[in-house]
Amino acid sequence: MAVSTGAVRRPAEATFWSTVWEWLTTVDHKRIGILYFWTVIVWFLLAGAQALLMRLQLARPDAQVLTPAVYNQLYTMHGTAMVFLVGTPVASVFANMVLPMMIGARDVAFPRLNALSYWIFLFGGLLLNAGWLAGGAFDVGWTGYANMSTRPFTEGIGANFWVMGLIVLGFSSMASALNFLVTIINMRAPGMTLMRMPLFVWALAIVFILVLFAFPVLTVALIFLWFDRFYGTRFFDVSAGGNIFLWQHLFWIFGHPEVYILILPAFGILSEVIPTFSRKPIFGYTTMVLAMVAIAFLGFSVWAHHMFTVGMGPVGNFAFSLSTMLIAIPTGVKVFNWLATMWGGRIRWQTPMLFAGNAVLLFVVGGLSGMMHASPPIDAQQHDSYFVVAHFHYVLFGGLVMAVFAGIYYWLPKLTGRLLDEGLGKVHFWLTFVGFNLTFFPMHFLGALGMPRRIYTYPAEAGWGTLNLLITIGAFITAVGTLFFAYNLFRSLQKGQPAGNDPWDGRTLEWSIPSPPPEYNFEKIPVVHSRDAWWEEKRQRRIAPVGGGSNGHGPTPTHAQGHAHGTSGGEEIHLPKPSIIPLILALGLAVAGLGTIYSRALIALGLAITVGAIVAWVLEPPIRGVIRSKE
Amino acid sequence: MFSRLPLRCPRLVGVGLFLVIPLLLTACTAPQNTFAGQGDQARTILGLYWLLIGAAAFVGVVVIAMLLYAFFRFRHRPGAGEPQEVHGNTRLEIAWFLIPTIIVLIVAIPSWRTIFRFGQAPPPNALQVQVVAHQWWWEFRYLNHRGPDGNPIVSGNELYLPVGQPVALTLVSSDVIHSFWVPRLAGKMDANPGVTTRLTFTPHETGTFYGQCAEFCGLSHALMRFRVKVLPAEEFQQWVQRRQAHTLPPLVGDVQRGWEVFQARGCNACHTIDGTSARGIIGPNLTGMASRDGIAAMALPNTPEAMARWLRNPPAVKAGAKMPNLNLTDEEISALVAFMAALK
Ligand code: HEM
Ligand SMILES: [Cu+2]
């Protein structure tokens, strides 16, 4: 049996540079997951800091903390980063961290493509934000409405970085989506039929399908905008026959499915964490799957509910109101199923479950306010007001980010081998819970009192001062909570309790292997006979104990797979070959992207690197070697 | 004349249900409160709003109560055995489906009826006003009321309306997308370049109503505010007649000097003053400037000091303002301030 390199465990003889090299060339999904994870955490902290600056400016009427130019850049880049650099990659973060293990696979279908997705994500994010250093970031909102974002109205270079950054990031999302779809379709362990897949895997599969259909639309819109900005086309210029609504339609045809790209991974996480900590199987598995499929399908038919006030006329408003309200139904189904899962359970309130239960609660609030603006007459009062800001933070922060915290406390120990600290986790939870609600609940009222979003200042006579002050206080409480989280992450890497294989008495296959798992995850590919495969196996063993697998801490993995479920005899394990080429290819794309803004020579250089990397990629053998597992 | 701000706070008890005291403290003094509708559209929306709040609060309270109950009731207690493995229940799952469907129908049907009601053509007696949105100010053109030159009367950043008469706004933008929003009179409607949209409503009370651009439109989007002044019908007629017969104010002293500066320094290239040779159309019409509530779409209050500040360097007061710094001298500024104050 070859030496196993854990996800983050360093071999004793490693030097600093060899470790760096290992990370730069890794094609192991777990390590790529860790890279994604830290990158997303950093963007989350940066975008959060931007939000705090905004809150300082808004705390009092007529404040002069920030200039309007800076405020507009902050709100734009805060939103852009939270959506494209935090929310969107959540699917890839968790897909990398755990998905192959959950389906009993040794890796993803295309390990090098996986590394490529990450490196493009990294460089794309930097490109997207490069405007900050080059004279000013984009300042038209994360929705980048044209014609506001065309040259006559937004000359700044930040817009170019924003457009090119998003085009580049689109490649990352699509490559990742394709890779994981193939992985889910082709690499499930024997016996894991579609209807035995963990709901988390279902959720991600649906997300990746959404990505494949939605992102190309955004890319098209961005290319139109790019052409308007650079090559004299007039897609968005009404005076030359362009269409002022074209951007909004294209953007939201992408943008609304994007909302589900953001929230479905959260649904997936909740559907794993809640059963585990309630010690019950998920209630209504089939309806959960159907609900997600329905949400994804309907999600493509509701885009113009972001446009109820553009003057579409009653028929358009009616149609999109209808489809939007329909989405409430499958969403309601999901909430009730989670509730029924907890009902009659034995809920252990450890940190992952605190965040998960809370995410359901807050998501309900966000869903209900969403129901309100599905009614176009009401939306006429709520649209572009702080009510909407309250709504989408309840969904994105209350629903998504809280679920992501749950997922991190739950799964990160699998990869690092160390638990996050429960005490710090609880402090993090309560500060976040209190701070979050103090920040975002009052925003509903600000909206009701007529405060528009995206304004850098307001006069005292508007009567919004008190609420805004409260909100700013709430934001800082949330920020303190986040600091506890960050501290917890760093601390537990060094001092965390050893996690053991199965710290939560889990239900799915990733808990059957060591933490951190060996590079190839499973020494023997498990054979699956039911949903909650690992739970069932533990239960059978409880009935007829073999080798003393005790409740709470599963037996050693060799035991687990040796018993009943492994195919007999040694198995061939193909080890993918680490490769620097994905990094170089991504770098080539980024250089070319930079070139589109600065110089043709740079484009040529970037494309040369890209093409060279593609050739090398094709020639490079993908497999490092084959080992045989011992029987 | 506009001293009575019709701020009524009915139903705040209902909002109090939402447990937020700060709202109670601020609502009565918040002039853009969507819950204090004074126009037919805003009130219709409000009725619907309460229905949806009621439904949402009901669902929210029930679901959250059930969640909280489950959180506490089914928490792990030492010594408790393993829970029963329940995989689902077809009847319950059908119920999950039916409950949201019913609630959706309850809120959807009145919503959809309202959509079509708002979509109706404006009544024939409606006052026709064209709204032209600019970065970052508002132009209102009274299509039923024309000046001596045959062109509609125009006002800047303040919309004058007669109470009780429907008004049919046609909205358009001269540059980027804006959105016209007077929360207490009606829901918002975008003003798009090149495409006309409509908004029809009837103000039910006289008074001053606060409005603001609601669609991000660039650097000074936050300072694109305006006022709607709803007058008794006769006063509105008097206002129209005053505007139609407007000429230069008596040119004495500083006012005389101000008018000279106005022409000499090119103010008239961008601004119109009715009944004079100043016919610029790049900036807001300045007729009646003295009676405005604010300067530069409410970026500043309308005081002599603020006016002087504005004239000294407009983009410094309002970032990106399309009115340039004309490098006026102190003497020119004080003459202009006097002139503006004479534009009644
Ligand atoms: C402490 C945490 C946070 C605070 C205090 C905060 C605050 C804010 C504020 C003040 C705005 C600008 C409103 C405006 O000027 O119109 C905003 C916008 C936004 N936020 Fe957050 N936010 C937080 C976390 C998040 C998270 C976690 C997400 C998503 C995952 C998020 C997504 C957005 C988006 C999409 C926008 C809209 C940007 C735009 O209008 O273009 N925020 N937030
Ligand atoms: Cu505007």
Side-chain angles (χ1 to χ4, degrees):
Chain A
M1 177 79 251
V3 181
S4 75
T5 319
V8 290
R9 217 190 298 144
R10 220 180 271 178
E13 69 280 10
T15 65
F16 174 75
W17 288 111
S18 75
T19 312
V20 170
W21 182 252
E22 247 176 62
W23 282 97
L24 295 181
T25 58
T26 186
V27 290
D28 175 357
H29 72 87
K30 298 174 289 298
R31 287 184 162 224
I32 295 173
I34 296 274
L35 289 173
Y36 258 114
F37 173 78
W38 283 107
T39 312
V40 167
I41 292 283
V42 168
W43 285 123
F44 177 70
L45 296 177
L46 285 175
Q50 293 172 347
L52 292 181
L53 286 175
M54 287 192 278
R55 283 318 315 172
L56 284 179
Q57 164 67 14
L58 293 176
R60 301 306 304 150
D62 297 317
Q64 310 249 330
V65 182
L66 304 171
T67 63
V70 170
Y71 183 91
N72 292 344
Q73 293 170 39
L74 283 172
Y75 92 74
T76 298
M77 296 314 288
H78 161 80
T80 304
M82 285 296 190
V83 170
F84 290 101
L85 302 177
V86 177
T88 307
V90 157
S92 296
V93 171
F94 283 98
N96 274 295
M97 282 178 26
V98 290
L99 190 143
M101 297 187 262
M102 285 180 104
I103 60 173
R106 293 215 166 97
D107 205 328
V108 298
F110 309 111
R112 285 183 299 176
L113 185 64
N114 198 19
L116 179 66
S117 308
Y118 169 72
W119 295 113
I120 297 182
F121 170 63
L122 180 69
F123 295 133
L126 294 175
L127 196 61
L128 182 67
N129 277 280
W132 286 114
L133 304 176
F138 189 46
D139 56 1
V140 178
W142 81 277
T143 48
Y145 270 27
N147 62 348
M148 186 66 226
S149 51
T150 57
R151 265 263 157 84
F153 302 106
T154 302
E155 182 53 45
I157 195 163
N160 302 341
F161 283 111
W162 185 83
V163 176
M164 200 34 79
L166 288 185
I167 291 177
V168 170
L169 282 169
F171 285 108
S172 164
S173 301
M174 285 187 271
S176 188
L178 209 65
N179 199 349
F180 280 103
L181 268 180
V182 175
T183 306
I184 293 170
I185 293 169
N186 278 353
M187 300 184 62
R188 279 168 287 133
M192 182 174 280
T193 59
L194 286 180
M195 292 311 270
R196 285 182 191 159
M197 283 198 312
L199 280 177
F200 177 78
V201 180
W202 263 109
L204 289 190
I206 293 169
V207 166
F208 292 131
I209 293 172
L210 289 178
V211 167
L212 288 183
F213 283 100
F215 267 85
V217 184
L218 175 67
T219 305
V220 166
L222 291 166
I223 289 174
F224 284 178
L225 181 54
W226 190 265
F227 273 49
D228 267 19
R229 288 182 68 84
F230 283 94
Y231 305 123
T233 57
R234 291 284 183 273
F235 288 106
F236 307 114
D237 179 355
V238 273
S239 67
N243 187 322
I244 193 68
F245 302 125
L246 179 63
W247 173 271
Q248 294 181 48
H249 281 295
L250 290 175
F251 186 85
W252 289 117
I253 288 175
F254 151 77
H256 203 84
E258 165 70 9
V259 172
Y260 295 103
I261 292 170
L262 296 174
I263 200 67
L264 284 172
F267 287 0
I269 295 170
L270 297 179
S271 299
E272 298 305 324
V273 173
I274 291 174
T276 299
F277 287 85
S278 307
R279 306 186 67 78
K280 278 179 66 202
I282 190 83
F283 188 92
Y285 177 96
T286 312
T287 44
M288 285 304 238
V289 173
L290 291 177
M292 282 194 286
V293 173
I295 290 172
F297 192 76
L298 287 170
F300 275 100
S301 66
V302 300
W303 77 88
H305 69 204
H306 297 272
M307 301 168 61
F308 283 149
T309 65
V310 306
M312 277 189 300
V315 176
N317 281 3
F318 162 72
F320 284 99
S321 166
L322 172 73
S323 55
T324 304
M325 293 200 180
L326 285 181
I327 278 203
I329 299 168
T331 312
V333 168
K334 296 198 71 78
V335 171
F336 285 124
N337 277 337
W338 287 320
L339 177 65
T341 305
M342 290 184 266
W343 207 270
R346 305 280 180 271
I347 306 173
R348 287 169 303 159
W349 286 107
Q350 284 156 301
T351 315
M353 185 60 191
L354 277 175
F355 276 106
N358 176 50
V360 177
L361 207 81
L362 299 178
F363 181 75
V364 168
V365 177
L368 289 170
S369 57
M371 248 330 265
M372 287 191 196
H373 28 259
S375 168
I378 292 179
D379 189 58
Q381 290 286 29
Q382 295 180 335
H383 179 68
D384 272 337
S385 80
Y386 261 81
F387 193 94
V388 171
V389 181
H391 158 74
F392 67 68
H393 282 93
Y394 263 85
V395 182
L396 288 183
F397 196 157
L400 170 63
V401 174
M402 298 287 185
V404 167
F405 284 141
I408 291 171
Y409 282 93
Y410 185 60
W411 276 312
L412 195 63
K414 172 54 51 189
L415 294 193
T416 62
R418 290 179 186 277
L419 292 169
L420 288 145
D421 186 77
E422 273 290 305
L424 287 172
K426 290 201 166 117
V427 176
H428 168 210
F429 170 76
W430 284 109
L431 284 172
T432 308
F433 179 77
V434 171
F436 170 86
N437 284 296
L438 205 57
T439 308
F440 295 107
F441 204 76
M443 286 191 189
H444 292 109
F445 296 99
L446 273 184
L449 294 179
M451 179 162 169
R453 72 195 275 209
R454 299 176 171 178
I455 57 172
Y456 76 95
T457 191
Y458 54 91
E461 62 176 338
W464 304 322
T466 321
L467 285 167
N468 270 304
L469 185 61
L470 196 71
I471 288 169
T472 299
I473 295 171
F476 277 86
I477 297 178
T478 316
V480 175
T482 309
L483 289 182
F484 273 91
F485 169 64
Y487 173 66
N488 198 355
L489 283 182
F490 284 107
R491 209 197 77 107
S492 4
L493 276 184
Q494 281 121 38
K495 304 203 195 117
Q497 297 281 318
N501 294 358
D502 189 9
W504 318 112
D505 202 2
R507 313 180 71 84
T508 36
L509 291 172
E510 73 274 25
W511 305 111
S512 70
I513 57 177
S515 322
E519 188 183 348
Y520 42 80
N521 297 346
F522 294 91
E523 205 167 304
K524 297 206 133 217
I525 297 294
V527 177
V528 173
H529 299 293
S530 66
R531 284 177 207 149
D532 292 335
W534 172 235
W535 178 263
E536 282 308 318
E537 180 169 337
K538 284 189 287 188
R539 192 163 71 160
Q540 279 171 18
R541 201 161 328 108
R542 268 199 297 278
I543 298 167
V546 180
S550 73
N551 205 356
H553 292 276
T556 56
T558 6
H559 248 111
Q561 276 111 38
H563 172 74
H565 289 165
T567 48
S568 59
E571 273 181 46
E572 279 190 352
I573 301 176
H574 295 244
L575 295 176
K577 186 167 158 9
S579 170
I580 193 69
I581 297 174
L583 171 63
I584 293 175
L585 209 169
L587 199 66
L589 281 178
V591 169
L594 210 62
T596 56
I597 297 165
Y598 285 117
S599 85
R600 298 223 173 122
L602 218 52
I603 302 185
L605 177 67
L607 289 182
I609 298 176
T610 309
V611 172
I614 291 175
V615 172
W617 180 304
V618 175
L619 297 178
E620 187 188 49
I623 304 290
R624 163 158 47 109
V626 177
I627 55 174
R628 189 163 279 280
S629 70
K630 274 199 300 233
E631 180 41 28
Chain B
M1 174 162 63
F2 307 113
S3 58
R4 195 170 80 90
L5 272 181
L7 291 167
R8 280 192 297 152
C9 289
R11 321 239 206 184
L12 275 182
V13 193
V15 182
L17 273 178
F18 265 172
L19 302 172
V20 166
I21 296 141
L23 179 71
L24 298 177
L25 299 178
T26 50
C28 296
T29 54
Q32 284 166 230
N33 187 353
T34 56
F35 281 76
Q38 306 276 305
D40 65 333
Q41 221 218 56
R43 283 184 187 168
T44 308
I45 293 176
L46 196 53
L48 198 59
Y49 214 145
W50 281 112
L51 175 74
L52 264 94
I53 289 179
F58 173 74
V59 177
V61 167
V62 171
V63 174
I64 290 173
M66 289 198 295
L67 280 169
L68 291 175
Y69 176 78
F71 289 173
F72 289 104
R73 170 70 184 76
F74 300 112
R75 71 182 185 280
H76 178 76
R77 294 189 184 82
E82 286 295 313
Q84 221 188 326
E85 300 238 330
V86 186
H87 289 272
N89 176 320
T90 310
R91 275 204 209 150
L92 273 182
E93 286 167 50
I94 292 173
W96 300 164
F97 178 79
L98 289 178
I99 297 168
T101 308
I102 292 166
I103 291 165
V104 162
L105 284 177
I106 291 174
V107 297
I109 289 166
S111 297
W112 296 339
R113 288 174 55 175
T114 313
I115 299 175
F116 287 98
R117 217 175 106 192
F118 287 171
Q120 280 165 8
N125 68 334
L127 180 75
Q128 304 284 337
V129 180
Q130 187 187 30
V131 178
V132 188
H134 305 263
Q135 276 181 323
W136 294 274
W137 58 280
W138 299 88
E139 178 182 349
F140 302 108
R141 303 166 58 85
Y142 302 79
L143 304 179
N144 303 120
H145 300 286
R146 291 177 186 266
D149 58 359
N151 290 325
I153 305 176
V154 174
S155 65
N157 295 327
E158 288 184 350
L159 170 62
Y160 285 79
L161 296 177
V163 71
Q165 184 183 347
V167 53
L169 300 179
T170 46
L171 305 106
V172 72
S173 162
S174 71
D175 37 52
V176 299
I177 306 168
H178 303 270
S179 194
F180 176 94
W181 190 25
V182 194
R184 298 182 56 210
L185 294 178
K188 62 184 71 64
M189 181 55 74
D190 289 0
N192 302 290
V195 183
T196 298
T197 52
R198 300 185 151 277
L199 178 67
T200 306
F201 63 90
T202 310
H204 283 325
E205 307 275 342
T206 57
T208 299
F209 297 90
Y210 287 46
Q212 181 159 12
C213 176
E215 175 69 52
F216 182 77
C217 56
L219 203 50
S220 275
H221 163 61
L223 300 180
M224 187 166 163
R225 305 178 194 134
F226 61 101
R227 296 283 155 88
V228 179
K229 306 216 157 176
V230 179
L231 308 178
E234 327 74 73
E235 280 180 34
F236 178 75
Q237 276 313 319
Q238 286 162 13
W239 176 79
V240 169
Q241 281 155 15
R242 266 206 316 283
R243 291 299 303 264
Q244 285 169 331
H246 190 270
T247 52
L248 272 183
L251 295 176
V252 287
D254 271 357
V255 178
Q256 158 79 37
R257 172 76 186 126
W259 172 233
E260 284 165 21
V261 176
F262 195 87
Q263 295 164 292
R265 301 305 303 261
C267 310
N268 56 356
C270 291
H271 294 287
T272 294
I273 299 170
D274 290 355
T276 76
S277 59
R279 318 250 10 119
I281 52 164
I282 313 271
N285 184 311
L286 295 178
T287 316
M289 189 63 223
S291 60
R292 300 248 186 101
D293 288 358
I295 299 168
M298 311 307 299
L300 292 174
N302 193 0
T303 63
E305 304 75 53
M307 183 61 86
R309 232 186 104 199
W310 170 251
L311 294 173
R312 177 155 289 114
N313 187 356
V317 170
K318 182 172 180 175
K322 305 285 185 249
M323 172 166 161
N325 179 352
L326 296 166
N327 297 311
L328 302 168
T329 64
D330 288 350
E331 183 271 333
E332 287 170 323
I333 288 174
S334 65
L336 282 171
V337 170
F339 178 61
M340 292 291 128
L343 293 174
K344 295 272 170 11

